[in-house]
């Protein structure tokens, strides 16, 4: 059954799937695109949140865990981009998408939540699908180098963000959480870009258009929708569902940058979707979301 949270999650994943396609156009560096993606989204939502009075907090103590979430999210983007620069997008995507496993482990260890058997089965099936999707050559060529560990680290950051945001969204409205979180992410990414000596201007018109698309679609709209879904759904389901962004990215790349879709990718996509569907399967007597 397609409930509102599930529809929001689907649309959110579709929005973030545009990001890899834009990055492949190489209009700006990966780190600078991550900064502007966050900064543009923050510049849009902050006045709205102020106008609607959504920045009021019961206690300023909650700013610390929100800042932690913002830094986790920013770190995930930064580490993922550096991983791509030092290896390949395929390897980085594969390693980052191990995040559902970390979500399951951390849920059990820190949230006293035991993921259902359907989640572990679905994760196993989806990860097989992801390996088929990226190709056996990528698996064979994996090297235990700096880029490999960055890819693993990216998945860890992603998993921790999903879990930490789930806990905070039980106490905060989506807009309140997203606004504060993105402010901290923007500040952190600014510091990272300065540290790496990135330039913040001098881009082509096409590059600026791409940056605004990333900020408005891939960040603002996408994560408002995904955060709403995270608030209403199990974090294990959300994390596994996010694997489908690889499929949407493949389709969008075929449409906009004319990349060919191979038979192996189609088979892998089918297996990934089967894994995601498995974790949503349950008896009628249990929770519908």
């Amino acid at each position: 059954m397609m409930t509102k949270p599930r529809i929001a999650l689907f649309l959110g994943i579709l929005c973030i799937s545009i990001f890899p396609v834009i990055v492949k156009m190489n209009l700006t560096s990966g780190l600078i695109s991550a900064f502007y993606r966050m900064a543009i989204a923050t510049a849009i939502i902050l006045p709205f949140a102020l106008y609607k009075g959504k920045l009021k907090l019961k206690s300023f103590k909650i700013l610390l865990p929100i800042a932690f979430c913002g830094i986790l999210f920013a770190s995930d983007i930064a580490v993922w981009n550096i991983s791509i620069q030092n290896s390949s997008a395929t390897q980085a995507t594969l390693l980052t998408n191990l995040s559902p496993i970390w979500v399951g482990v951390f849920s059990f260890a820190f949230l006293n939540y035991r993921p259902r058997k359907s989640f572990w089965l679905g994760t196993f099936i989806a990860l097989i699908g992801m390996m088929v999707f990226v190709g056996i050559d990528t698996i064979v060529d994996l090297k235990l180098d700096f880029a490999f560990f960055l890819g693993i680290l990216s998945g860890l950051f992603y998993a921790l963000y999903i879990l930490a945001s789930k806990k905070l969204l039980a106490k905060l409205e989506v807009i309140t959480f997203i606004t504060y979180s993105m402010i901290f992410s923007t500040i952190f990414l600014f510091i990272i870009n300065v540290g790496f000596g990135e330039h913040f201007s001098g881009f082509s018109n096409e590059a600026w258009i791409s940056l605004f698309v990333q900020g408005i679609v891939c960040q603002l709209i996408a994560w408002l929708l995904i955060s709403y879904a995270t608030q209403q759904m199990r974090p294990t389901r959300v994390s596994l569902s996010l694997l489908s962004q690889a499929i949407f990215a493949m389709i969008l790349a075929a449409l906009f940058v004319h990349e060919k879709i191979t038979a192996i990718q189609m088979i892998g996509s089918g297996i990934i979707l089967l894994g995601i569907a498995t974790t949503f399967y349950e008896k009628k007597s249990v929770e519908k979301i």
Side-chain angles (χ1 to χ4, degrees):
M1 181 180 176
M2 288 302 290
T3 59
K4 286 182 179 180
R6 292 183 183 182
I7 293 171
L9 181 59
F10 170 78
L11 293 175
I13 292 171
L14 186 60
C15 288
I16 61 174
S17 299
I18 301 171
F19 185 64
V21 179
I22 296 175
V23 171
K24 286 181 181 179
M25 295 178 181
N26 293 317
L27 297 172
T28 63
S29 74
L31 283 178
I32 214 69
S33 71
F35 166 73
Y36 275 109
R37 164 181 165 172
M38 203 66 63
I40 290 169
T42 302
I44 294 172
I45 198 172
L46 183 56
F48 176 80
L50 283 168
Y51 176 73
K52 290 291 185 179
K54 299 292 186 181
L55 297 185
K56 296 177 182 178
L57 299 171
K58 292 181 179 179
S59 172
F60 283 102
K61 291 181 180 179
I62 203 168
L63 280 176
L64 186 60
I66 294 175
F68 177 65
C69 275
I71 292 172
L72 278 177
F73 190 84
S75 297
D76 169 44
I77 297 174
V79 168
W80 187 76
N81 282 316
I82 297 170
S83 178
I84 290 175
Q85 291 172 351
N86 286 275
S87 58
S88 68
T90 306
Q91 175 176 310
T93 299
L94 173 65
L95 296 173
T96 298
N97 282 326
L98 295 176
S99 57
I101 295 177
W102 306 127
V103 169
V105 171
F106 293 150
S107 293
F108 180 72
F110 301 114
L111 299 183
N112 198 26
Y113 168 72
R114 187 185 296 274
R116 297 173 182 269
K117 292 179 181 178
S118 60
F119 165 74
W120 293 115
L121 177 59
T123 299
F124 177 72
I125 295 171
L127 289 178
I128 289 176
M130 184 60 66
M131 287 188 285
V132 172
F133 183 88
V134 301
I136 191 65
D137 291 340
T138 300
I139 309 299
V140 173
D141 292 340
L142 283 178
K143 297 177 181 178
L144 295 176
D145 56 9
F146 181 62
F148 177 91
F149 289 108
L150 285 178
I152 294 290
L153 188 59
S154 175
L156 284 168
F157 283 144
Y158 206 6
L160 286 170
Y161 172 78
I162 292 294
L163 291 173
S165 64
K166 172 68 177 178
K167 200 165 184 179
L168 282 170
L169 284 165
K171 306 173 184 177
L172 298 168
E173 291 186 47
V174 170
I175 292 179
T176 305
F177 168 73
I178 284 292
T179 304
Y180 277 114
S181 177
M182 290 199 304
I183 289 172
F184 287 113
S185 291
T186 302
I187 295 170
F188 183 75
L189 283 169
F190 176 78
I191 295 170
I192 291 293
N193 275 275
V194 170
F196 275 84
E198 295 285 349
H199 298 288
F200 292 85
S201 61
F203 311 130
S204 66
N205 291 334
E206 291 81 3
W208 280 113
I209 291 172
S210 77
L211 292 173
F212 273 93
V213 171
Q214 291 173 59
I216 296 169
V217 179
C218 305
Q219 182 59 40
L220 182 59
I221 298 175
W223 283 96
L224 281 172
L225 291 167
I226 294 172
S227 294
Y228 168 71
T230 302
Q231 187 182 54
Q232 304 295 322
M233 298 172 65
R234 300 173 199 155
T236 47
R237 282 183 171 176
V238 173
S239 66
L240 190 60
S241 298
L242 288 169
L243 292 183
S244 63
Q245 65 183 287
I247 300 171
F248 291 126
M250 172 192 69
I251 296 170
L252 292 169
L255 290 173
F256 295 107
V257 293
H258 309 294
E259 289 193 0
K260 292 183 179 180
I261 299 177
T262 66
I264 292 296
Q265 286 178 320
M266 292 178 67
I267 294 170
S269 298
I271 300 173
I272 292 170
L273 292 175
L274 176 62
I276 295 171
T278 299
T279 200
F280 277 90
Y281 175 77
E282 56 188 13
K283 295 178 182 179
K284 294 181 180 178
S285 59
V286 286
E287 173 191 2
K288 291 183 179 179
I289 289 179

